[in-house]
Amino acid sequence: MSLGNQLDTLYRQVIMDHYKNPRNRGQLEGDSLTVNMNNPTCGDRIELQMKVDDGKISDAKFVGEGCSISLSSASMMTQAVKGLSVEDALKLSEIFSAMMLGKDFDEGDFDLGDIEALQGVAKFPARIKCATLSWKAMEKGLQDSAGEEE
């Protein structure tokens, strides 16, 4: 098996692990920033909840329905943004968007970890919206809440 095939297999395993054993699935208790989004093209939908304290995302959870790409991406995203500042979470989302578009990206100080497993989605344009749904929800929530504070 070539290295490329081995990586594809590994990435598929990581995606399926997040799909079958999603991290941060569920509802947050108490007040939280809540964003509902859906992808009408394929029927994926997500409700993302985040707690933002002193400019940092202290917790994030999601519920929803969708394909393995959509739900595993939500699992990975909620893991990645916990503990990040709002600014860093938005930067990470920009990096993810570049990766989904197949563009060169500099992960900078971020350790993408499992998120890198989604790189292959860039080869399947119809699936990009699946992978980016939770990230768009996170961006919308953080940008809307920043607007409310001004």
Side-chain angles (χ1 to χ4, degrees), residues 18-19 22-27 33-50 60-79 81 96 118 128-141:
H18 275 272
Y19 178 62
R23 283 50 150 196
N24 305 305
R25 186 170 196 144
Q27 305 258 314
L33 187 59
T34 302
V35 180
N36 287 289
M37 288 192 103
N38 68 7
N39 177 356
T41 311
C42 64
D44 293 340
R45 62 169 197 76
I46 186 171
E47 177 181 282
L48 174 67
Q49 294 180 304
M50 296 178 287
K61 289 198 177 218
F62 74 97
V63 291
E65 297 170 356
C67 66
S68 59
I69 298 291
S70 177
L71 296 180
S72 60
S73 184
S75 172
M76 293 175 196
M77 184 276 296
T78 54
Q79 264 193 314
V81 300
F96 184 75
L118 292 168
I128 292 171
K129 285 185 177 176
C130 303
T132 58
L133 182 65
S134 59
W135 294 83
K136 297 290 183 204
M138 182 262 297
E139 285 178 11
K140 181 178 180 353

Short mmCIF file of all heavy atoms in Angstrom, two decimals, residues 18-19 22-27 33-50 60-79 81 96 118 128-141:
data_model
loop_
_atom_site.label_atom_id
_atom_site.label_comp_id
_atom_site.label_asym_id
_atom_site.label_seq_id
_atom_site.Cartn_x
_atom_site.Cartn_y
_atom_site.Cartn_z
N HIS A 18 -14.62 9.99 14.90
CA HIS A 18 -15.34 11.18 15.37
C HIS A 18 -16.84 11.07 15.08
O HIS A 18 -17.66 11.59 15.83
CB HIS A 18 -14.78 12.45 14.74
CG HIS A 18 -13.59 12.99 15.47
ND1 HIS A 18 -13.71 13.88 16.52
CD2 HIS A 18 -12.27 12.76 15.32
CE1 HIS A 18 -12.51 14.17 16.98
NE2 HIS A 18 -11.62 13.50 16.27
N TYR A 19 -17.18 10.40 13.97
CA TYR A 19 -18.59 10.23 13.62
C TYR A 19 -19.28 9.26 14.59
O TYR A 19 -20.36 9.53 15.10
CB TYR A 19 -18.70 9.72 12.18
CG TYR A 19 -20.11 9.44 11.71
CD1 TYR A 19 -21.06 10.47 11.65
CD2 TYR A 19 -20.48 8.17 11.31
CE1 TYR A 19 -22.35 10.22 11.22
CE2 TYR A 19 -21.78 7.92 10.87
CZ TYR A 19 -22.70 8.94 10.82
OH TYR A 19 -23.98 8.69 10.38
N PRO A 22 -18.70 10.90 18.75
CA PRO A 22 -18.51 12.35 18.68
C PRO A 22 -18.12 12.95 20.03
O PRO A 22 -18.64 12.56 21.07
CB PRO A 22 -19.87 12.87 18.23
CG PRO A 22 -20.84 11.78 18.52
CD PRO A 22 -20.08 10.49 18.52
N ARG A 23 -17.17 13.85 19.96
CA ARG A 23 -16.75 14.59 21.15
C ARG A 23 -17.67 15.80 21.28
O ARG A 23 -18.07 16.38 20.28
CB ARG A 23 -15.31 15.08 20.99
CG ARG A 23 -14.20 14.05 21.18
CD ARG A 23 -14.37 12.78 20.41
NE ARG A 23 -13.09 12.17 20.05
CZ ARG A 23 -12.97 11.23 19.14
NH1 ARG A 23 -14.01 10.79 18.46
NH2 ARG A 23 -11.80 10.71 18.88
N ASN A 24 -18.01 16.15 22.50
CA ASN A 24 -18.79 17.37 22.79
C ASN A 24 -20.19 17.34 22.19
O ASN A 24 -20.76 18.39 21.90
CB ASN A 24 -18.04 18.62 22.32
CG ASN A 24 -16.66 18.69 22.91
OD1 ASN A 24 -16.51 18.62 24.12
ND2 ASN A 24 -15.65 18.77 22.07
N ARG A 25 -20.76 16.17 22.03
CA ARG A 25 -22.13 16.10 21.54
C ARG A 25 -23.06 16.25 22.75
O ARG A 25 -22.85 15.64 23.78
CB ARG A 25 -22.39 14.76 20.86
CG ARG A 25 -23.76 14.73 20.23
CD ARG A 25 -23.95 13.54 19.35
NE ARG A 25 -25.10 13.82 18.51
CZ ARG A 25 -25.25 13.46 17.27
NH1 ARG A 25 -24.30 12.78 16.69
NH2 ARG A 25 -26.33 13.77 16.60
N GLY A 26 -24.06 17.09 22.61
CA GLY A 26 -25.01 17.30 23.69
C GLY A 26 -25.33 18.77 23.84
O GLY A 26 -25.02 19.57 22.97
N GLN A 27 -25.97 19.09 24.94
CA GLN A 27 -26.42 20.46 25.20
C GLN A 27 -25.67 21.04 26.39
O GLN A 27 -25.38 20.32 27.34
CB GLN A 27 -27.91 20.45 25.52
CG GLN A 27 -28.77 19.78 24.47
CD GLN A 27 -29.48 20.79 23.59
OE1 GLN A 27 -30.04 21.76 24.08
NE2 GLN A 27 -29.44 20.57 22.31
N LEU A 33 -24.26 30.80 23.92
CA LEU A 33 -24.42 31.33 22.58
C LEU A 33 -24.89 30.16 21.72
O LEU A 33 -24.22 29.13 21.68
CB LEU A 33 -23.03 31.81 22.15
CG LEU A 33 -22.82 32.56 20.89
CD1 LEU A 33 -23.65 33.83 20.91
CD2 LEU A 33 -21.35 32.92 20.79
N THR A 34 -26.04 30.27 21.09
CA THR A 34 -26.60 29.16 20.33
C THR A 34 -26.82 29.57 18.88
O THR A 34 -27.38 30.63 18.61
CB THR A 34 -27.94 28.71 20.94
OG1 THR A 34 -27.72 28.35 22.30
CG2 THR A 34 -28.52 27.51 20.20
N VAL A 35 -26.35 28.73 17.97
CA VAL A 35 -26.50 28.98 16.53
C VAL A 35 -27.06 27.73 15.88
O VAL A 35 -26.53 26.63 16.08
CB VAL A 35 -25.15 29.34 15.88
CG1 VAL A 35 -25.32 29.59 14.39
CG2 VAL A 35 -24.49 30.52 16.55
N ASN A 36 -28.12 27.90 15.12
CA ASN A 36 -28.68 26.80 14.33
C ASN A 36 -28.37 27.06 12.87
O ASN A 36 -28.61 28.16 12.38
CB ASN A 36 -30.20 26.73 14.52
CG ASN A 36 -30.57 26.20 15.88
OD1 ASN A 36 -30.40 25.03 16.17
ND2 ASN A 36 -31.06 27.08 16.75
N MET A 37 -27.83 26.06 12.20
CA MET A 37 -27.55 26.19 10.78
C MET A 37 -27.89 24.88 10.10
O MET A 37 -27.84 23.81 10.72
CB MET A 37 -26.08 26.52 10.52
CG MET A 37 -25.70 27.93 10.89
SD MET A 37 -24.07 28.38 10.24
CE MET A 37 -24.55 29.39 8.86
N ASN A 38 -28.20 24.98 8.81
CA ASN A 38 -28.40 23.76 8.05
C ASN A 38 -27.82 23.91 6.66
O ASN A 38 -27.54 25.02 6.21
CB ASN A 38 -29.87 23.35 8.01
CG ASN A 38 -30.73 24.31 7.23
OD1 ASN A 38 -30.25 25.22 6.58
ND2 ASN A 38 -32.03 24.11 7.29
N ASN A 39 -27.61 22.77 6.03
CA ASN A 39 -27.12 22.72 4.67
C ASN A 39 -28.26 22.16 3.84
O ASN A 39 -28.46 20.95 3.81
CB ASN A 39 -25.88 21.82 4.61
CG ASN A 39 -25.35 21.66 3.21
OD1 ASN A 39 -25.92 22.16 2.25
ND2 ASN A 39 -24.25 20.95 3.08
N PRO A 40 -29.04 23.03 3.18
CA PRO A 40 -30.20 22.55 2.44
C PRO A 40 -29.85 21.60 1.30
O PRO A 40 -30.67 20.80 0.89
CB PRO A 40 -30.86 23.83 1.92
CG PRO A 40 -29.85 24.91 2.05
CD PRO A 40 -28.86 24.47 3.09
N THR A 41 -28.62 21.66 0.81
CA THR A 41 -28.20 20.79 -0.29
C THR A 41 -28.31 19.33 0.09
O THR A 41 -28.75 18.50 -0.69
CB THR A 41 -26.74 21.11 -0.69
OG1 THR A 41 -26.61 22.51 -0.87
CG2 THR A 41 -26.35 20.40 -1.96
N CYS A 42 -27.90 18.99 1.33
CA CYS A 42 -27.89 17.58 1.70
C CYS A 42 -28.67 17.28 2.98
O CYS A 42 -28.78 16.12 3.37
CB CYS A 42 -26.46 17.07 1.84
SG CYS A 42 -25.58 17.86 3.17
N GLY A 43 -29.19 18.30 3.63
CA GLY A 43 -30.01 18.07 4.82
C GLY A 43 -29.26 18.06 6.14
O GLY A 43 -29.86 17.82 7.18
N ASP A 44 -27.94 18.30 6.12
CA ASP A 44 -27.20 18.38 7.37
C ASP A 44 -27.74 19.55 8.18
O ASP A 44 -28.04 20.61 7.63
CB ASP A 44 -25.70 18.64 7.13
CG ASP A 44 -24.99 17.50 6.44
OD1 ASP A 44 -25.50 16.37 6.48
OD2 ASP A 44 -23.91 17.74 5.88
N ARG A 45 -27.85 19.36 9.49
CA ARG A 45 -28.23 20.48 10.35
C ARG A 45 -27.47 20.36 11.67
O ARG A 45 -27.17 19.26 12.12
CB ARG A 45 -29.74 20.55 10.58
CG ARG A 45 -30.33 19.38 11.27
CD ARG A 45 -31.77 19.58 11.70
NE ARG A 45 -32.13 18.59 12.70
CZ ARG A 45 -31.77 18.61 13.97
NH1 ARG A 45 -31.04 19.61 14.43
NH2 ARG A 45 -32.11 17.64 14.80
N ILE A 46 -27.19 21.53 12.25
CA ILE A 46 -26.45 21.55 13.50
C ILE A 46 -26.99 22.65 14.40
O ILE A 46 -27.41 23.70 13.92
CB ILE A 46 -24.93 21.76 13.26
CG1 ILE A 46 -24.15 21.64 14.57
CG2 ILE A 46 -24.66 23.09 12.60
CD1 ILE A 46 -22.65 21.61 14.39
N GLU A 47 -26.99 22.35 15.69
CA GLU A 47 -27.20 23.39 16.70
C GLU A 47 -25.92 23.41 17.50
O GLU A 47 -25.54 22.42 18.13
CB GLU A 47 -28.37 23.06 17.62
CG GLU A 47 -28.53 24.13 18.71
CD GLU A 47 -29.66 23.82 19.66
OE1 GLU A 47 -30.83 24.06 19.28
OE2 GLU A 47 -29.36 23.35 20.78
N LEU A 48 -25.23 24.52 17.42
CA LEU A 48 -23.96 24.70 18.12
C LEU A 48 -24.18 25.62 19.31
O LEU A 48 -24.83 26.66 19.18
CB LEU A 48 -22.92 25.31 17.17
CG LEU A 48 -21.58 25.68 17.78
CD1 LEU A 48 -20.82 24.43 18.23
CD2 LEU A 48 -20.74 26.47 16.78
N GLN A 49 -23.67 25.21 20.47
CA GLN A 49 -23.73 26.05 21.66
C GLN A 49 -22.31 26.30 22.14
O GLN A 49 -21.48 25.37 22.17
CB GLN A 49 -24.52 25.36 22.76
CG GLN A 49 -25.98 25.18 22.45
CD GLN A 49 -26.70 24.49 23.58
OE1 GLN A 49 -26.31 23.40 23.98
NE2 GLN A 49 -27.74 25.12 24.09
N MET A 50 -22.05 27.54 22.52
CA MET A 50 -20.73 27.90 23.05
C MET A 50 -20.91 28.79 24.27
O MET A 50 -21.82 29.60 24.33
CB MET A 50 -19.91 28.66 22.00
CG MET A 50 -19.57 27.84 20.77
SD MET A 50 -18.67 28.81 19.53
CE MET A 50 -19.97 29.87 18.89
N ALA A 60 -17.98 24.18 24.38
CA ALA A 60 -18.71 24.11 23.11
C ALA A 60 -19.30 22.72 22.96
O ALA A 60 -18.64 21.72 23.26
CB ALA A 60 -17.77 24.41 21.95
N LYS A 61 -20.55 22.67 22.56
CA LYS A 61 -21.23 21.39 22.32
C LYS A 61 -22.12 21.54 21.09
O LYS A 61 -22.45 22.65 20.69
CB LYS A 61 -22.08 20.98 23.52
CG LYS A 61 -21.25 20.55 24.70
CD LYS A 61 -22.08 19.77 25.68
CE LYS A 61 -21.17 19.30 26.80
NZ LYS A 61 -21.47 17.99 27.28
N PHE A 62 -22.51 20.41 20.54
CA PHE A 62 -23.38 20.45 19.37
C PHE A 62 -24.35 19.28 19.40
O PHE A 62 -24.09 18.25 20.02
CB PHE A 62 -22.56 20.40 18.07
CG PHE A 62 -21.98 19.05 17.77
CD1 PHE A 62 -22.63 18.18 16.90
CD2 PHE A 62 -20.80 18.61 18.37
CE1 PHE A 62 -22.11 16.92 16.63
CE2 PHE A 62 -20.28 17.35 18.11
CZ PHE A 62 -20.94 16.50 17.23
N VAL A 63 -25.46 19.47 18.73
CA VAL A 63 -26.38 18.39 18.40
C VAL A 63 -26.75 18.60 16.94
O VAL A 63 -26.66 19.72 16.42
CB VAL A 63 -27.65 18.37 19.29
CG1 VAL A 63 -27.32 17.97 20.71
CG2 VAL A 63 -28.38 19.69 19.25
N GLY A 64 -27.16 17.55 16.29
CA GLY A 64 -27.56 17.70 14.90
C GLY A 64 -27.65 16.37 14.19
O GLY A 64 -27.47 15.31 14.79
N GLU A 65 -27.94 16.48 12.92
CA GLU A 65 -28.05 15.32 12.06
C GLU A 65 -27.27 15.61 10.80
O GLU A 65 -27.25 16.74 10.32
CB GLU A 65 -29.51 15.08 11.66
CG GLU A 65 -30.42 14.78 12.82
CD GLU A 65 -31.88 14.78 12.40
OE1 GLU A 65 -32.18 15.10 11.23
OE2 GLU A 65 -32.72 14.49 13.26
N GLY A 66 -26.66 14.56 10.27
CA GLY A 66 -25.95 14.76 9.01
C GLY A 66 -25.05 13.61 8.68
O GLY A 66 -25.04 12.58 9.37
N CYS A 67 -24.28 13.81 7.65
CA CYS A 67 -23.37 12.78 7.16
C CYS A 67 -22.14 12.68 8.06
O CYS A 67 -21.93 13.50 8.96
CB CYS A 67 -22.95 13.10 5.73
SG CYS A 67 -21.96 14.61 5.59
N SER A 68 -21.33 11.68 7.80
CA SER A 68 -20.13 11.47 8.62
C SER A 68 -19.19 12.66 8.55
O SER A 68 -18.57 13.02 9.55
CB SER A 68 -19.40 10.19 8.19
OG SER A 68 -19.02 10.26 6.83
N ILE A 69 -19.07 13.30 7.40
CA ILE A 69 -18.17 14.46 7.25
C ILE A 69 -18.67 15.61 8.13
O ILE A 69 -17.91 16.23 8.86
CB ILE A 69 -18.09 14.92 5.78
CG1 ILE A 69 -17.52 13.82 4.88
CG2 ILE A 69 -17.29 16.21 5.65
CD1 ILE A 69 -16.07 13.50 5.08
N SER A 70 -19.96 15.90 8.05
CA SER A 70 -20.54 17.01 8.79
C SER A 70 -20.40 16.82 10.30
O SER A 70 -19.94 17.73 11.02
CB SER A 70 -22.02 17.14 8.41
OG SER A 70 -22.63 18.16 9.16
N LEU A 71 -20.79 15.66 10.80
CA LEU A 71 -20.77 15.45 12.25
C LEU A 71 -19.37 15.25 12.80
O LEU A 71 -19.07 15.70 13.90
CB LEU A 71 -21.69 14.28 12.61
CG LEU A 71 -23.18 14.52 12.29
CD1 LEU A 71 -24.01 13.31 12.67
CD2 LEU A 71 -23.70 15.78 12.99
N SER A 72 -18.49 14.61 12.04
CA SER A 72 -17.11 14.47 12.52
C SER A 72 -16.42 15.83 12.53
O SER A 72 -15.65 16.13 13.44
CB SER A 72 -16.32 13.43 11.71
OG SER A 72 -16.24 13.80 10.36
N SER A 73 -16.72 16.67 11.56
CA SER A 73 -16.14 18.01 11.53
C SER A 73 -16.60 18.82 12.75
O SER A 73 -15.81 19.53 13.37
CB SER A 73 -16.52 18.73 10.23
OG SER A 73 -15.90 19.99 10.16
N ALA A 74 -17.89 18.69 13.11
CA ALA A 74 -18.41 19.39 14.30
C ALA A 74 -17.71 18.90 15.56
O ALA A 74 -17.35 19.69 16.44
CB ALA A 74 -19.92 19.19 14.41
N SER A 75 -17.48 17.61 15.64
CA SER A 75 -16.78 17.02 16.78
C SER A 75 -15.36 17.58 16.89
O SER A 75 -14.91 18.01 17.95
CB SER A 75 -16.76 15.49 16.64
OG SER A 75 -15.95 14.89 17.62
N MET A 76 -14.66 17.58 15.76
CA MET A 76 -13.28 18.09 15.73
C MET A 76 -13.22 19.58 16.04
O MET A 76 -12.36 20.05 16.78
CB MET A 76 -12.65 17.84 14.36
CG MET A 76 -12.44 16.39 14.04
SD MET A 76 -11.85 16.23 12.33
CE MET A 76 -12.12 14.49 12.04
N MET A 77 -14.16 20.34 15.47
CA MET A 77 -14.17 21.79 15.67
C MET A 77 -14.41 22.14 17.13
O MET A 77 -13.70 22.96 17.70
CB MET A 77 -15.25 22.43 14.77
CG MET A 77 -15.29 23.95 14.82
SD MET A 77 -16.24 24.66 16.18
CE MET A 77 -17.88 24.08 15.79
N THR A 78 -15.38 21.47 17.78
CA THR A 78 -15.66 21.81 19.17
C THR A 78 -14.46 21.46 20.06
O THR A 78 -14.15 22.20 20.99
CB THR A 78 -16.93 21.11 19.70
OG1 THR A 78 -16.83 19.71 19.48
CG2 THR A 78 -18.18 21.66 19.03
N GLN A 79 -13.77 20.38 19.73
CA GLN A 79 -12.55 20.04 20.48
C GLN A 79 -11.49 21.11 20.31
O GLN A 79 -10.83 21.51 21.26
CB GLN A 79 -11.97 18.72 19.96
CG GLN A 79 -12.37 17.51 20.72
CD GLN A 79 -11.49 16.32 20.34
OE1 GLN A 79 -11.24 16.06 19.17
NE2 GLN A 79 -11.04 15.61 21.33
N VAL A 81 -11.68 24.35 19.40
CA VAL A 81 -11.88 25.74 19.82
C VAL A 81 -11.99 25.92 21.33
O VAL A 81 -11.84 27.04 21.81
CB VAL A 81 -13.10 26.40 19.12
CG1 VAL A 81 -12.91 26.41 17.61
CG2 VAL A 81 -14.41 25.76 19.53
N PHE A 96 -9.00 26.57 8.34
CA PHE A 96 -9.82 25.43 7.92
C PHE A 96 -10.47 25.71 6.56
O PHE A 96 -10.49 24.84 5.69
CB PHE A 96 -10.89 25.12 8.99
CG PHE A 96 -11.70 23.91 8.66
CD1 PHE A 96 -11.16 22.64 8.83
CD2 PHE A 96 -12.99 24.02 8.19
CE1 PHE A 96 -11.90 21.50 8.51
CE2 PHE A 96 -13.74 22.90 7.87
CZ PHE A 96 -13.19 21.63 8.04
N LEU A 118 -9.54 15.90 7.54
CA LEU A 118 -10.58 16.40 6.63
C LEU A 118 -10.00 17.03 5.36
O LEU A 118 -10.76 17.45 4.48
CB LEU A 118 -11.47 17.42 7.36
CG LEU A 118 -12.34 16.82 8.47
CD1 LEU A 118 -12.95 17.93 9.32
CD2 LEU A 118 -13.43 15.94 7.89
N ILE A 128 -17.75 19.85 0.63
CA ILE A 128 -17.12 20.95 1.38
C ILE A 128 -18.12 21.63 2.32
O ILE A 128 -17.80 21.92 3.47
CB ILE A 128 -16.45 21.96 0.41
CG1 ILE A 128 -15.25 21.29 -0.26
CG2 ILE A 128 -16.01 23.22 1.16
CD1 ILE A 128 -14.62 22.09 -1.38
N LYS A 129 -19.35 21.84 1.84
CA LYS A 129 -20.36 22.48 2.71
C LYS A 129 -20.66 21.62 3.93
O LYS A 129 -20.98 22.13 4.99
CB LYS A 129 -21.64 22.77 1.93
CG LYS A 129 -21.50 23.96 1.01
CD LYS A 129 -22.81 24.29 0.34
CE LYS A 129 -22.63 25.53 -0.52
NZ LYS A 129 -23.84 25.86 -1.26
N CYS A 130 -20.56 20.30 3.77
CA CYS A 130 -20.78 19.40 4.90
C CYS A 130 -19.71 19.65 5.97
O CYS A 130 -20.00 19.76 7.16
CB CYS A 130 -20.70 17.94 4.46
SG CYS A 130 -21.84 17.48 3.14
N ALA A 131 -18.47 19.73 5.52
CA ALA A 131 -17.34 19.89 6.44
C ALA A 131 -17.32 21.26 7.10
O ALA A 131 -16.89 21.41 8.23
CB ALA A 131 -16.02 19.63 5.72
N THR A 132 -17.79 22.28 6.38
CA THR A 132 -17.67 23.64 6.90
C THR A 132 -18.90 24.11 7.69
O THR A 132 -18.85 25.17 8.31
CB THR A 132 -17.40 24.66 5.76
OG1 THR A 132 -18.46 24.57 4.80
CG2 THR A 132 -16.07 24.39 5.09
N LEU A 133 -19.97 23.32 7.72
CA LEU A 133 -21.21 23.76 8.37
C LEU A 133 -20.99 24.19 9.82
O LEU A 133 -21.38 25.29 10.22
CB LEU A 133 -22.27 22.66 8.29
CG LEU A 133 -23.63 23.00 8.90
CD1 LEU A 133 -24.31 24.12 8.12
CD2 LEU A 133 -24.52 21.76 8.92
N SER A 134 -20.36 23.36 10.62
CA SER A 134 -20.17 23.69 12.04
C SER A 134 -19.23 24.88 12.20
O SER A 134 -19.39 25.68 13.12
CB SER A 134 -19.65 22.48 12.81
OG SER A 134 -18.42 22.03 12.28
N TRP A 135 -18.25 24.98 11.31
CA TRP A 135 -17.29 26.10 11.38
C TRP A 135 -18.00 27.41 11.06
O TRP A 135 -17.74 28.43 11.70
CB TRP A 135 -16.13 25.84 10.41
CG TRP A 135 -15.30 24.67 10.82
CD1 TRP A 135 -15.55 23.35 10.56
CD2 TRP A 135 -14.09 24.70 11.59
NE1 TRP A 135 -14.56 22.57 11.11
CE2 TRP A 135 -13.66 23.38 11.74
CE3 TRP A 135 -13.34 25.73 12.15
CZ2 TRP A 135 -12.51 23.05 12.44
CZ3 TRP A 135 -12.19 25.41 12.83
CH2 TRP A 135 -11.79 24.07 12.98
N LYS A 136 -18.89 27.39 10.07
CA LYS A 136 -19.67 28.59 9.72
C LYS A 136 -20.58 28.97 10.89
O LYS A 136 -20.76 30.16 11.18
CB LYS A 136 -20.50 28.36 8.46
CG LYS A 136 -19.69 28.08 7.22
CD LYS A 136 -18.96 29.29 6.75
CE LYS A 136 -18.20 29.01 5.46
NZ LYS A 136 -17.07 29.91 5.27
N ALA A 137 -21.15 27.97 11.56
CA ALA A 137 -21.99 28.24 12.72
C ALA A 137 -21.17 28.90 13.83
O ALA A 137 -21.63 29.86 14.47
CB ALA A 137 -22.63 26.94 13.23
N MET A 138 -19.97 28.39 14.05
CA MET A 138 -19.09 28.98 15.08
C MET A 138 -18.75 30.42 14.72
O MET A 138 -18.85 31.31 15.56
CB MET A 138 -17.82 28.13 15.21
CG MET A 138 -16.86 28.61 16.28
SD MET A 138 -15.48 29.60 15.67
CE MET A 138 -14.62 28.45 14.63
N GLU A 139 -18.37 30.67 13.47
CA GLU A 139 -18.04 32.03 13.04
C GLU A 139 -19.23 32.96 13.24
O GLU A 139 -19.09 34.06 13.78
CB GLU A 139 -17.67 32.05 11.55
CG GLU A 139 -16.31 31.51 11.22
CD GLU A 139 -16.05 31.52 9.72
OE1 GLU A 139 -16.83 32.13 8.95
OE2 GLU A 139 -15.06 30.90 9.31
N LYS A 140 -20.40 32.52 12.79
CA LYS A 140 -21.61 33.35 12.90
C LYS A 140 -21.90 33.68 14.36
O LYS A 140 -22.17 34.82 14.70
CB LYS A 140 -22.79 32.63 12.25
CG LYS A 140 -24.09 33.42 12.29
CD LYS A 140 -25.21 32.67 11.60
CE LYS A 140 -26.55 33.35 11.59
NZ LYS A 140 -26.75 34.55 12.32
N GLY A 141 -21.84 32.68 15.21
CA GLY A 141 -22.12 32.91 16.62
C GLY A 141 -21.16 33.90 17.26
O GLY A 141 -21.58 34.80 17.98
#
